[in-house]
């Protein structure tokens, strides 16, 4: 592992890759600070730019945006009670209470320290677990990949916020959108409605920009509220020994919990931060302190969301399965570069895999250095009116879509899908299950058909092979547990809390 990390640092520390890591971290912090512009929308907007970059530079920059946004969201959540990122919502509960008491600087420092510790641990977990999972994946065939992808979609559906049936509907919609185009085996056109422009299918970039870029803009314009708030006094930045001693166990617990939840399909930063806050509150001897400035309520969730962000790369890079919408975009970026996500990345392109791993630690160090000194600058960015931001976002999205094929049809299609995306959000449907269904749909179909060809049409191949049968059994267990009234009630209470 040390030799592989040495290879990774030799790749990550080249001037060009350092520059892209810094750019990604800076952009991530920026969009984390600004409410209404999340990492998914930003990464979707930047996907067309990655065509002109080297694979390692593109992935380093996009990864920096993801974990950088976790840092940025905590700054405004603590000082202004305005979470820039959904994973920072729980940080605002105790972080802003600390800021009102004149301890805003301590809350920011604890958030930064916890994030760095968790990010470093997540990077080491990726370096340690990645090769082992990649070795297991070498034994996977078409039936195993089909069952694994089905397991991932079921997990993403069960862990999605909101109504279960709506999450299923969004996954099915994504699967149907994924099979639009020409069938590779038969050459028949499917769901093209006689339009030549759809014969090659719907571009991933178009769907990502429509549902996570343009639809977000429409939603923010309709529901825009005045983002005014009193900036709390930062105060001293360095926590004392007592504060470090109180926060250290929460940082450790949040790091471990976030690292585990980040591995799960449907998990990641948001689920990790909420789970950590609820866990810290339940094990506390004085739970009434939470919401009134408990330092554990900042240390735990901030560590968990960064650990979850780092370890969510493990299923993508080793098994080729995106665990959340951000990882689906990363998978799309890899496919744009001609890289098939999965265990082959580590064997055929080891410099890319280990370069990404090393760049995550470098990026976390950059974030630790640039965030605290620039607190004042990030807070001032909130004074930029949204009416100035949204035309720039719309124009940038349209240029990105048009640049794919120099086709105005793509722009019209993205516009139509963005309206659909906004209406689905108003109906309480999440976009994450749809994008996961869209990107896994063609792969799911390909492995299903390949499996049935191998077995001459006999579906028992999925239960005769041990690994495939294990994933199918896990699906049945999860569905059985979810159907229990107590489990469904706990899920609803967790998301409401």
């Amino acid at each position: 592992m040390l030799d592989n990390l040495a290879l990774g640092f030799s790749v990550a520390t080249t001037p060009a890759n350092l520059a892209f890591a810094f750019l990604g971290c800076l952009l991530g912090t920026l969009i984390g600070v600004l409410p209404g512009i999340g990492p998914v929308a930003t990464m979707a907007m930047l996907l067309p730019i990655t065509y002109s970059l080297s694979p390692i530079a593109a992935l380093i920059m996009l990864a920096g945006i993801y974990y950088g946004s976790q840092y940025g969201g905590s700054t405004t959540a603590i000082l202004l009670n305005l979470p820039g990122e959904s994973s920072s919502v729980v940080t605002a509960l105790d972080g802003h209470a600390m800021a009102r008491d004149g301890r805003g600087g301590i809350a920011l420092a604890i958030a930064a320290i916890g994030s760095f510790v968790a990010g470093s641990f997540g990077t080491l977990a990726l370096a340690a677990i990645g090769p082992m999972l990649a070795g297991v994946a070498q034994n996977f065939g078409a039936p195993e990949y089909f069952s694994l992808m089905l397991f991932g979609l079921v997990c993403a559906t069960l862990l999605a916020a909101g109504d279960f049936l709506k999450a299923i509907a969004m996954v099915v919609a994504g699967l149907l959108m994924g099979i639009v185009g020409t069938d590779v085996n038969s050459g028949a056109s499917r769901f093209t409605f006689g339009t030549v422009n759809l014969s090659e299918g719907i571009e991933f970039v178009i769907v990502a920009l429509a549902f996570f870029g343009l639809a977000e803009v429409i939603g923010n314009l309709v529901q825009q509220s005045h983002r005014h708030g009193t900036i709390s006094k930062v105060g001293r930045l360095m926590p004392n020994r007592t504060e470090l001693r109180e926060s250290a166990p929460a940082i450790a617990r949040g790091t471990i919990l976030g690292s585990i939840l980040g591995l799960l399909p449907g998990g990641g930063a948001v689920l990790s931060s909420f789970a950590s806050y609820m866990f810290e509150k339940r094990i506390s001897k004085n739970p009434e302190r939470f919401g009134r400035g408990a330092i554990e309520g900042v240390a735990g969730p901030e560590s968990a969301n960064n650990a979850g962000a780092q370890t969510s790369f493990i299923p993508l890079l080793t098994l080729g399965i995106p665990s959340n919408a951000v990882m689906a975009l990363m998978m799309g970026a890899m496919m744009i570069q001609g890289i098939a996500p999965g265990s082959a990345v580590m064997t055929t392109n080891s410099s890319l895999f280990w370069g990404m791993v090393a760049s995550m630690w470098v990026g976390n160090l950059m974030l630790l250095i640039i965030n605290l000194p620039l607190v004042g600058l990030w807070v001032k960015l909130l004074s930029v009116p949204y009416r100035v931001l949204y035309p720039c976002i719309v124009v940038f999205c349209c240029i990105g879509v048009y640049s794919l094929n120099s086709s105005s049809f793509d722009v019209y299609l993205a516009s139509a899908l963005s309206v659909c995306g906004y209406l689905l959000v108003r109906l309480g449907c999440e976009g994450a299950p749809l994008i996961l269904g869209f990107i896994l749909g063609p792969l799911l179909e390909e492995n299903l058909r390949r499996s049935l060809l191998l077995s001459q049409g006999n579906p028992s191949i999925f239960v005769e092979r041990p690994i495939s049968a294990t994933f199918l059994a896990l699906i049945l267990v999860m569905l059985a547990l979810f159907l229990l009234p107590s489990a469904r009630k706990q899920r609803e209470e967790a998301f409401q809390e």
Side-chain angles (χ1 to χ4, degrees):
M1 187 177 74
L2 293 176
D3 291 340
N4 288 327
L5 285 175
L7 169 65
F9 278 107
S10 69
V11 174
T13 53
T14 60
N17 289 336
L18 283 174
F20 280 110
F22 181 77
L23 178 62
C25 292
L26 205 61
L27 284 173
T29 303
L30 173 63
I31 59 101
V33 166
L34 295 173
I37 309 173
V40 181
T42 306
M43 291 169 70
M45 287 187 285
L46 292 177
L47 278 179
I49 294 177
T50 61
Y51 280 99
S52 58
L53 300 178
S54 66
I56 183 65
L59 295 177
I60 284 176
M61 182 182 70
L62 293 176
I65 290 172
Y66 181 37
Y67 53 78
S69 65
Q70 312 308 318
Y71 272 79
S74 64
T75 301
T76 49
I78 290 170
L79 296 183
L80 287 168
N81 201 25
L82 288 173
E85 254 299 289
S86 53
S87 58
S88 300
V89 170
V90 290
T91 304
L93 299 177
D94 285 281
H96 189 61
M98 289 179 66
R100 288 200 306 269
D101 293 338
R103 297 190 297 156
I106 298 168
L108 289 171
I110 290 296
I113 293 169
S115 298
F116 178 73
V117 170
S120 299
F121 182 85
T123 303
L124 287 175
L126 176 55
I129 299 173
M132 289 189 289
L133 279 180
V136 172
Q138 297 293 333
N139 300 318
F140 279 33
E144 287 79 12
Y145 273 112
F146 170 80
S147 300
L148 174 62
M149 290 176 186
L150 189 62
F151 173 71
L153 286 177
V154 170
C155 286
T157 304
L158 294 178
L159 293 174
D163 188 76
F164 175 60
L165 292 177
K166 290 178 180 178
I168 292 178
M170 293 297 280
V171 169
V172 172
L175 292 172
L176 292 174
M177 290 174 64
I179 62 174
V180 171
T182 304
D183 180 20
V184 177
N185 292 330
S186 66
S189 297
R190 302 185 298 186
F191 301 106
T192 59
F193 305 100
T195 305
V196 179
N197 293 294
L198 291 177
S199 59
E200 296 296 325
I202 303 174
E203 291 271 4
F204 172 76
V205 176
I206 294 175
V207 177
L209 279 172
F211 281 91
F212 295 107
L214 296 172
E216 286 284 333
V217 170
I218 298 172
N220 287 326
L221 287 175
V222 172
Q223 301 176 2
Q224 185 182 2
S225 59
H226 295 289
R227 300 179 303 183
H228 297 299
T230 304
I231 301 176
S232 302
K233 187 177 179 181
V234 174
R236 61 184 173 91
L237 283 174
M238 288 304 296
N240 56 35
R241 288 185 180 180
T242 303
E243 290 158 342
L244 287 173
R245 189 166 55 249
E246 290 175 349
S247 59
I251 290 174
R253 289 189 292 263
T255 298
I256 295 171
L257 183 62
S259 298
I260 295 171
L261 292 177
L263 294 170
L264 296 177
V270 179
L271 180 65
S272 299
S273 62
F274 277 84
S276 174
Y277 188 83
M278 288 188 289
F279 182 73
E280 291 297 328
K281 188 175 181 179
R282 287 180 181 176
I283 67 169
S284 175
K285 295 179 180 178
N286 301 300
E288 65 278 359
R289 295 188 304 111
F290 284 77
R292 300 178 181 177
I295 199 167
E296 300 95 322
V298 176
E302 281 301 305
S303 303
N305 66 32
N306 276 272
Q310 301 283 347
T311 56
S312 60
F313 283 88
I314 294 176
L316 173 66
L317 294 176
T318 57
L319 301 174
I321 302 296
S323 57
N324 51 49
V326 176
M327 291 302 107
L329 291 176
M330 290 292 296
M331 187 172 180
M334 294 177 77
M335 290 177 169
I336 286 172
Q337 295 285 349
I339 301 168
S343 59
V345 174
M346 195 176 298
T347 54
T348 62
N349 203 339
S350 57
S351 61
L352 182 140
F353 178 87
W354 291 106
M356 266 200 70
V357 172
S359 74
M360 291 178 188
W361 189 86
V362 173
N364 275 281
L365 184 60
M366 286 180 177
L367 287 166
L368 186 65
I369 296 171
I370 67 176
N371 265 269
L372 292 179
L374 297 178
V375 165
L377 174 63
W378 301 129
V379 172
K380 285 181 181 178
L381 285 173
L382 287 171
S383 61
V384 178
Y386 196 72
R387 66 177 182 273
V388 175
L389 292 175
Y390 86 83
C392 302
I393 295 172
V394 171
V395 170
F396 196 81
C397 288
C398 292
I399 292 173
V401 169
Y402 184 81
S403 67
L404 295 174
N405 301 306
S406 299
S407 170
S408 57
F409 175 84
D410 291 345
V411 179
Y412 298 141
L413 179 61
S415 303
L417 289 176
S418 66
V419 174
C420 294
Y422 167 69
L423 294 175
L424 288 170
V425 171
R426 290 298 300 269
L427 293 172
C429 300
E430 268 197 300
L434 182 141
I435 203 73
L436 287 171
F438 177 78
I439 199 165
L440 287 179
L443 298 173
L444 196 73
E445 181 194 15
E446 179 186 344
N447 285 290
L448 173 63
R449 295 171 76 167
R450 192 179 295 170
S451 301
L452 293 176
L453 283 172
L454 289 172
S455 65
Q456 298 181 345
N458 186 358
S460 63
I461 189 174
F462 297 108
V463 294
E464 290 172 352
R465 300 175 68 138
I467 298 176
S468 175
T470 301
F471 283 120
L472 293 177
L474 287 172
I475 291 172
L476 292 176
V477 170
M478 290 192 67
L479 289 174
L481 290 173
F482 178 77
L483 292 174
L484 292 174
S486 58
R488 297 190 69 171
K489 185 178 179 181
Q490 284 185 355
R491 177 182 180 272
E492 292 171 1
E493 288 176 355
F495 284 116
Q496 287 173 0
E497 195 171 337

